[in-house]
Amino acid sequence: MKQDNEEQKGHNIIVKAQPPEEFTGIKVKSPAKNSVGTPAVLSSLAHANRYMNKSDALKTMFRVNQKGGFDCPGCAWPDPDDERSALGEYCENGVKAIAEEATKRRVTEEYFKKNSVQAISQLSDFKIGKLGRLTRPMLLGEGSQHYEPISWAQAFSLVAEELNALDSPDEALFYTSGRTSNEAAFLYQLFAREYGTNNLPDCSNMCHESSGQGLSQTLGIGKGSVTLHDLHQADVIMVMGQNPGTNHPRMLSALEKCKENGGKIITVNPLPEAGLMRFSNPQRPVKMLTGGTKLTDLFLQVRINGDVALLKAIMLCLLAEEDKKPGSVFDRAFIEDKTTGFEAFIEDLRLNNLEECVEQSGISLKQIKKAAKMMMKTQKIIICWAMGLTQHKNGVDNIKEVVNLLLLKGSVGKLGAGTCPVRGHSNVQGDRTMGIWEAPKTAFLDKLEEVFGFEPPRKHGYAVVDAINAMYQGKAKVFFAMGGNFLSASPDTEYTAKALQNCSLTVHVATKLNRSHLVHGKRALILPCLGRTEIDVQRSGKQFVSVENSMGIVHSSQGILPPASKELLSEPAIIVALAKATLGAKSKVNWDKMLENYDEIREHIEKVIPGFEQYNERVRQPAGFYLPNCAREGNFKTSVGKAVFTCIDIPEHKLDDEEFIMMTIRSHDQYNTTIYGLDDRYRGIYNERRVVLMNKKDMKTKKLKKGTVVDLVGTETINELNPTQRIAKKFLVVPYDIPSGCVATYFPEANVLVPIDSFAKGSKTPASKRVVIRIEKSRTD
């Protein structure tokens, strides 16, 4: 398959990952040993120049993440509280995200007229994303092959008709992406609940739901406890199951400051990622010229899902020293005053054999003892993590074990210490705060009833996995997505596709075309909305929205560019129109008043959600405001009023000789499901995404060579509702530094192998980081 230039590269899916006729053009180089620096600057400039008007690029680069500017549509990493760089508060992938949204390209009704859904679906996800911004509402009628224009009024009438024809409101699903603003999210959940359902699955279900559950049960709040200042002041930062160089590049500046303040960094990951090894800060030219800053002091190359074994081994080493001199290692005063379950936890910890923990983790005892020594004499310890911990069947337990270690040291609620789950999309945490949750708390529902005068439903709704199953079984018939690329983000791609196709109507609010718009229900709507970068004008004038970052800071975001099309509506405008069309005169909410001026939405948020007192006043402060955080304050609002130690078992990993544990990862040229390009610069893989990273010894055992074409075959229990073998065909083997028995593949190409019924106990987060597979030389069909 010839690949003449970047936009003719890549292979992807119609419904699932489709193999190419042949591979050409892949280049594999040595992985990078340094991150960011000049290559990142050049990459940023190239993307902005290629996809944006030059004047728009200049405007946005100087206003993104600045006080009074707009929030980057990429990740949720916080901005500095004080002064921000005049050179720009953004990263390479932030520029790519802005170039995606503020692109000069457009997808018009003429494009849909010329190209059928089937034809568009033959394109790779990369090509689809690069088509440009959507410009007007489009309808795919039942049996039709082409999306056609539809007026906004007709679109809202169609959705309302479908919703009101359902036998129960619980036959509708209202999905949310993490890009949705606080104001839109609050209106969205308000509409869904006045309509009569708690079916509010969201992207958090697929990433940090395990964090929320684990932290809530042990510390009393489902959010991290640290601030940016804490990271700067920490003596030890342990980064687990995370690749910030690609997914949260601005985090590297915080790690750099920690190192300059004398802190140490321990990295725990199956892959050595360039972004955690060395960082060349582009805002500091001298650093760039002198090779940057070494970040990681100790790299622990853990086996996939060997984290609990590693943490237990570290705690056993700490316990051995504590036994020699009680009170010299553990914070006994903190444990006595602030925690419960310590005695039972220590008794359970002693039952573990250190040698067995070492073997299960894949880390040498010498390295483990070194990690324990680094933590021995300090309480200023922060543990950061992402989906390398959460996307396992034992994902919630992984987080609880992290908390156990911090509680032993008294390392929560103190300067330079605490928990740091690093969230993904830019307002995923804020959406949950606003009530986007299938399992809302009673107090929240009571407040909704008190403020708005209707009784919200009390029965919990569907999370993502349950929502997919409900669509597959015909229990849910209308799927409405506020942003996102649901199909590509979800597990078990073929199964999810069939689920969506069972719906009578699928609706997507979006800025750009994506795979989910092409795998649809009997009828389908695309409703184009304003992006984060664009000016939003309502009846009272220009509006701003607000978002909450990964550390609980709420701040404003106001677009600066003209809308990509005059036909675009803001997300709040779409929700209000949908609510009015669906609920009509029976609604007790004054929707028009809230749309006229977003201050009115914020006034209602203030009445319903604790922590938002004087919302309109405080959100106008240049840096926004912090939400209350009980764990940060050392006040643990669990069911027992104290922080909770938990007894956790080491997960078992029984594999046949022919089996491997696969984890899905992201390339440096993507963010979540958005593919920016086909190069994974830091890992040295260029011009191809259908690759499987393997240990060289495993390759020799399997008689595989670099570039061998293989099929990846799922071996886990097959869902009885979908009794077909999961297989991803034609992947190229790439030798890589990864533990024996482990392999890595890119998301979403390998999502077809993630079983719908393989998820974290207690959170239902898909176990995308632990999929058991066989690797077979590719066979000709």
Side-chain angles (χ1 to χ4, degrees):
M1 183 175 291
K2 190 175 181 181
Q3 298 173 326
D4 296 322
N5 57 57
E6 186 179 19
E7 293 188 28
Q8 292 178 329
K9 301 173 190 174
H11 322 288
N12 214 296
I13 61 175
I14 297 174
V15 164
K16 67 170 185 175
Q18 294 284 77
E21 296 174 4
E22 61 178 300
F23 291 94
T24 60
I26 185 173
K27 294 181 181 179
V28 179
K29 302 179 181 180
S30 297
K33 298 184 182 302
N34 202 343
S35 64
V36 193
T38 302
V41 174
L42 295 176
S43 175
S44 301
L45 292 173
H47 270 78
N49 182 62
R50 182 169 191 176
Y51 298 114
M52 299 177 69
N53 292 316
K54 288 181 173 56
S55 59
D56 290 346
L58 285 172
K59 287 179 185 177
T60 54
M61 294 311 112
F62 286 106
R63 297 303 298 155
V64 61
N65 294 328
Q66 297 289 349
K67 296 174 182 179
F70 68 92
D71 191 59
C72 177
C75 80
W77 190 252
D79 307 310
D81 288 338
D82 44 23
E83 291 301 315
R84 301 182 187 177
S85 172
L87 294 176
E89 285 290 342
Y90 53 85
C91 64
E92 176 188 356
N93 275 358
V95 173
K96 292 175 182 177
I98 293 168
E100 285 285 306
E101 179 180 294
T103 176
K104 58 189 174 185
R105 301 178 181 182
R106 301 290 182 265
V107 182
T108 64
E109 60 185 272
E110 287 75 21
Y111 178 83
F112 288 110
K113 187 175 182 179
K114 292 178 182 178
N115 296 277
S116 68
V117 170
Q118 177 68 17
I120 301 170
S121 72
Q122 300 284 344
L123 302 176
S124 69
D125 284 352
F126 171 67
K127 283 187 178 181
I128 292 170
K130 289 293 181 281
L131 291 174
R133 287 290 299 275
L134 295 161
T135 55
R136 63 169 303 163
M138 303 298 294
L139 167 68
L140 184 69
E142 186 170 358
S144 177
Q145 292 297 310
H146 291 261
Y147 273 101
E148 298 176 349
I150 184 174
S151 71
W152 279 107
Q154 290 172 319
F156 294 130
S157 178
L158 188 156
V159 179
E161 179 182 320
E162 286 275 357
L163 290 174
N164 289 325
L166 296 176
D167 292 334
S168 165
D170 288 332
E171 292 181 342
L173 303 168
F174 297 95
Y175 174 76
T176 312
S177 158
R179 188 185 62 81
T180 306
S181 68
N182 283 350
E183 291 75 11
F186 185 78
L187 290 180
Y188 193 49
Q189 65 80 30
L190 183 65
F191 161 63
R193 293 189 166 111
E194 191 175 21
Y195 171 67
T197 186
N198 282 314
N199 285 345
L200 286 156
D202 74 317
C203 58
S204 185
N205 295 151
M206 293 187 278
C207 55
H208 273 288
E209 195 69 53
S210 296
S211 298
Q213 292 295 325
L215 292 172
S216 294
Q217 293 169 34
T218 56
L219 299 179
I221 185 171
K223 303 177 182 181
S225 67
V226 302
T227 66
L228 207 54
H229 183 64
D230 287 320
L231 283 165
H232 300 161
Q233 298 300 315
D235 288 336
V236 177
I237 297 177
M238 177 180 275
V239 182
M240 304 186 71
Q242 185 194 358
N243 179 18
T246 288
N247 298 320
H248 313 89
R250 289 198 301 146
M251 179 179 174
L252 301 183
S253 298
L255 297 180
E256 179 185 49
K257 186 166 288 190
C258 171
K259 290 299 298 286
E260 291 176 345
N261 289 339
K264 302 292 184 182
I265 296 172
I266 301 171
T267 294
V268 181
N269 203 52
L271 300 178
E273 302 288 12
L276 280 167
M277 299 305 157
R278 185 172 288 274
F279 169 50
S280 291
N281 191 336
Q283 295 184 348
R284 302 173 69 180
V286 173
K287 285 284 186 181
M288 290 176 62
L289 293 173
T290 56
T293 301
K294 180 185 176 184
L295 295 181
T296 293
D297 296 281
L298 177 63
F299 174 50
L300 303 179
Q301 191 169 21
V302 69
R303 288 182 180 141
I304 293 175
N305 205 17
D307 306 278
V308 168
L310 170 62
L311 291 169
K312 283 192 185 299
I314 291 173
M315 289 188 287
L316 284 168
C317 291
L318 295 174
L319 178 60
E321 294 301 313
E322 174 71 8
D323 285 342
K324 294 176 185 177
K325 188 178 179 182
S328 64
V329 178
F330 296 167
D331 188 338
R332 294 282 179 167
F334 175 89
I335 291 169
E336 177 67 26
D337 185 46
K338 297 286 188 178
T339 76
T340 185
F342 172 71
E343 291 78 10
F345 169 75
I346 291 297
E347 182 180 348
D348 181 76
L349 181 61
R350 293 186 190 277
L351 296 176
N352 293 273
N353 179 277
L354 178 58
E355 287 72 25
E356 291 180 2
C357 291
V358 170
E359 195 281 328
Q360 288 280 345
S361 71
I363 308 298
S364 71
L365 180 58
K366 181 180 179 180
Q367 284 185 302
I368 289 171
K369 286 184 175 180
K370 187 174 181 180
K373 185 177 180 181
M374 291 169 69
M375 299 181 180
M376 197 82 67
K377 300 299 181 182
T378 183
Q379 296 177 339
K380 296 172 72 173
I381 301 168
I382 292 173
I383 301 182
C384 307
W385 69 88
M387 287 175 283
L389 291 193
T390 64
Q391 289 184 330
H392 293 279
K393 290 182 179 179
N394 58 303
V396 176
D397 282 352
N398 282 340
I399 307 313
K400 290 181 177 180
E401 197 75 307
V402 166
V403 172
N404 285 335
L405 174 54
L406 292 173
L407 292 182
L408 286 178
K409 296 296 298 174
S411 299
V412 184
K414 297 174 181 174
L415 177 66
T419 57
C420 185
V422 184
R423 307 280 179 172
H425 221 152
S426 59
N427 197 39
V428 62
Q429 186 162 298
D431 289 348
R432 179 58 57 88
T433 302
M434 292 297 106
I436 300 293
W437 194 17
E438 77 284 351
K441 293 182 179 180
T442 299
F444 176 82
L445 297 178
D446 288 345
K447 269 294 183 181
L448 279 184
E449 183 173 3
E450 175 188 323
V451 172
F452 291 101
F454 68 86
E455 179 158 356
R458 302 285 167 161
K459 185 181 76 171
H460 286 177
Y462 295 130
V464 164
V465 168
D466 295 326
I468 294 169
N469 284 328
M471 288 187 286
Y472 193 93
Q473 297 167 28
K475 296 178 181 178
K477 299 173 181 177
V478 173
F479 177 82
F480 193 106
M482 186 60 63
N485 185 351
F486 185 80
L487 175 67
S488 294
S490 296
D492 217 337
T493 311
E494 286 191 42
Y495 183 81
T496 299
K498 291 175 183 176
L500 288 166
Q501 290 167 336
N502 283 344
C503 292
S504 60
L505 177 67
T506 49
V507 185
H508 295 271
V509 178
T511 56
K512 302 186 71 181
L513 199 64
N514 65 52
R515 182 69 55 189
S516 296
H517 307 157
L518 308 173
V519 180
H520 49 80
K522 291 181 178 64
R523 291 194 291 179
L525 279 169
I526 302 173
L527 305 181
C529 67
L530 294 174
R532 190 75 62 77
T533 58
E534 291 171 318
I535 298 168
D536 180 358
V537 179
Q538 302 301 331
R539 184 173 296 178
S540 65
K542 289 184 180 179
Q543 305 297 312
F544 69 86
V545 295
S546 56
V547 295
E548 177 186 346
N549 66 34
S550 200
M551 294 180 181
I553 303 169
V554 178
H555 61 91
S556 66
S557 176
Q558 188 167 35
I560 60 173
L561 300 179
S565 164
K566 294 180 180 179
E567 289 276 347
L568 304 185
L569 294 181
S570 70
E571 288 178 331
I574 290 171
I575 297 163
V576 166
L578 177 62
K580 290 171 63 180
T582 305
L583 303 175
K586 66 182 179 182
S587 177
K588 296 186 177 182
V589 177
N590 190 336
W591 297 100
D592 287 330
K593 189 175 182 182
M594 287 195 284
L595 178 61
E596 182 177 321
N597 189 326
Y598 294 174
D599 279 356
E600 188 72 19
I601 305 174
R602 289 184 283 270
E603 286 183 12
H604 284 83
I605 292 171
E606 178 181 333
K607 294 175 183 177
V608 173
I609 303 174
F612 284 86
E613 296 79 11
Q614 297 179 299
Y615 192 0
N616 276 312
E617 178 182 339
R618 292 195 293 160
V619 78
R620 285 175 164 84
Q621 295 172 359
F625 62 94
Y626 282 87
L627 289 175
N629 188 302
C630 62
R632 184 178 296 157
E633 298 156 5
N635 179 19
F636 306 110
K637 295 182 179 180
T638 64
S639 59
V640 294
K642 289 188 173 185
V644 179
F645 280 98
T646 314
C647 297
I648 301 298
D649 293 329
I650 297 175
E652 294 185 8
H653 301 294
K654 294 181 179 179
L655 299 175
D656 293 340
D657 291 342
E658 295 296 311
E659 291 181 329
F660 294 85
I661 299 177
M662 181 196 84
M663 65 176 183
T664 61
I665 59 176
R666 288 151 179 75
S667 82
H668 190 63
D669 250 359
Q670 77 177 99
Y671 190 76
N672 292 340
T673 59
T674 303
I675 311 301
Y676 300 135
L678 301 174
D679 297 338
D680 196 353
R681 188 174 75 244
Y682 290 162
R683 298 192 185 105
I685 301 169
Y686 295 82
N687 199 37
E688 188 54 65
R689 291 184 53 84
R690 295 184 72 84
V691 297
V692 53
L693 279 55
M694 289 188 70
N695 179 284
K696 289 182 180 180
K697 291 182 179 179
D698 290 339
M699 290 172 58
K700 185 175 181 180
T701 300
K702 290 283 293 179
K703 298 180 179 179
L704 300 173
K705 297 180 179 180
K706 174 183 173 181
T708 300
V709 182
V710 297
D711 296 337
L712 311 180
V713 182
T715 65
E716 296 188 78
T717 302
I718 296 172
N719 185 347
E720 61 183 17
L721 295 172
N722 185 30
T724 57
Q725 188 175 56
R726 298 177 184 86
I727 182 168
K729 294 184 178 182
K730 294 189 177 180
F731 279 64
L732 292 174
V733 173
V734 173
Y736 209 81
D737 185 2
I738 187 171
S740 179
C742 302
V743 298
T745 54
Y746 292 134
F747 154 107
E749 285 81 356
N751 280 8
V752 67
L753 297 168
V754 182
I756 189 68
D757 50 1
S758 178
F759 48 74
K761 181 181 178 182
S763 73
K764 291 198 171 180
T765 298
S768 302
K769 291 292 189 285
R770 189 193 181 280
V771 183
V772 181
I773 65 168
R774 294 195 316 273
I775 298 176
E776 302 175 351
K777 287 187 178 179
S778 186
R779 301 185 297 270
T780 303
D781 291 335

